Amino acid sequence: MNILDEHPWQDLNGEPIANIREYINRYSKSDRYSMHVGTDTKPNSDYVTVITTICFREKGKGAVVAYQKCRTSVFPSMRDRLFHETFVSLEVANILVEITGKRPTIHSDVNPKKDALSNVTIDVIMGMIKGMGYPVLVKPDAWAADIADMYTR
């Protein structure tokens, strides 16, 4: 079983997506859409909520979004949590390439501002994503990670 099948997927209205592969194929076949992946996490006292989005954006019209929600154990540091977000996004992106033959843009929840906590990981995370052959967007342009953030609550 891979990450697409481990937990259910929903649309932005909270409606279940019965077959995520059919959903992906439906939107990826059209050249109208660009494909994007973002992951965000929300730590709680005894677990971390992980939300991953697969977004199909039609320029000037918005995006169609599927998201997956799961829980995992607490991470020892913010750095470990950001690396987990990146690994999840890369795993989903690799599966999207297998399904569609197209590379999505990965949106990373790291901040280029020097005073931001996540800035200490930005070079490594961007290097991992680019090294795997994916385009990457970071804050403030990482809107797929922002959508994931909305569903961590």
Side-chain angles (χ1 to χ4, degrees), residues 45-135:
S45 58
D46 55 343
Y47 64 91
V48 174
T49 301
V50 181
I51 302 289
T52 301
T53 60
I54 300 172
C55 307
F56 296 94
R57 181 172 182 242
E58 185 175 6
K59 193 167 183 142
K61 299 210 178 190
V64 176
V65 179
Y67 75 93
Q68 180 187 64
K69 184 176 191 173
C70 67
R71 289 183 178 181
T72 192
S73 55
V74 176
F75 297 99
S77 70
M78 184 255 328
R79 178 179 291 197
D80 290 334
R81 195 163 44 91
L82 290 170
F83 285 138
H84 181 77
E85 291 174 8
T86 304
F87 297 145
V88 169
S89 288
L90 284 167
E91 186 176 355
V92 170
N94 287 336
I95 295 167
L96 290 174
V97 171
E98 288 175 15
I99 293 171
T100 69
K102 299 176 183 177
R103 291 192 170 275
T105 298
I106 295 180
H107 296 230
S108 181
D109 195 30
V110 293
N111 198 323
K113 292 182 181 175
K114 295 292 181 202
D115 60 338
L117 289 174
S118 63
N119 182 266
V120 298
T121 63
I122 194 165
D123 291 336
V124 174
I125 286 176
M126 287 182 68
M128 283 190 323
I129 294 168
K130 289 179 180 179
M132 295 284 293
Y134 293 100

